[in-house]
Amino acid sequence: MVIEKPILPTWEWLWGGTGAGIPGAFSEFFRVAIILILLGLVLGLLVSVFRYGPGRGGRNYLRVLRQAPRDLLGISLRRVLGLAVLAIREAFRRRVWVALLLFFVVLMFASWNLAPNSDQPAVIYLNFVLTAATYIMLPVAVFTAAFSLPQDIKNRTIYTVVTKPVRPSEIVLGRILGFSIVGTALLLAMGV
């Protein structure tokens, strides 16, 4: 296999190339993050203006922007981690681990259909494993995250969380963190 571009050392990849003017991964990340934040602010203003009208929508938007730093600084790591643990328990109660079993079953019978006599069987197996992991994990992650809140509302379990002194942002962050941990654990198990 011919490498068209040389592989950069990790330090140069993170912080940028010295002579060629190659942007680093951190600078690219921050550039994209700033663009997404600005797009989110503009989209939030447009939604508020179209929903409530120019005057009331603008006032609501400015009120939310004034309250945002206090809300972000008031986030409790303890409550977020507690909600993340709750999301992890909920995901395993909904049998997310079945995806792991499905992955292992697919791998067991995959060798029947893959070509072991090819020139590069490792590449074929690796592509198959990565593709199978992707196609199994994407629906699991999407359906687990999308149906968790409606299911909690239906079962009235979210009401016990909301009645506590918990901010909505902490609920969202806790769920994101919990489902990310579940997905990471499943991917680690698939990787092993």
Side-chain angles (χ1 to χ4, degrees), residues 50-67:
F50 281 121
R51 188 170 186 184
Y52 298 110
R56 186 173 168 210
R59 285 191 302 273
N60 286 346
Y61 180 76
L62 290 175
R63 181 179 48 84
V64 168
L65 281 182
R66 277 194 310 268
Q67 292 175 350

Side-chain angles (χ1 to χ4, degrees), residues 91-112:
F92 280 103
R93 234 181 297 138
R94 298 204 180 163
R95 296 182 179 93
V96 172
W97 49 268
V98 172
L100 193 59
L101 294 177
L102 177 66
F103 178 74
F104 290 133
V105 168
V106 167
L107 282 185
M108 284 190 321
F109 296 111
S111 63
W112 291 354

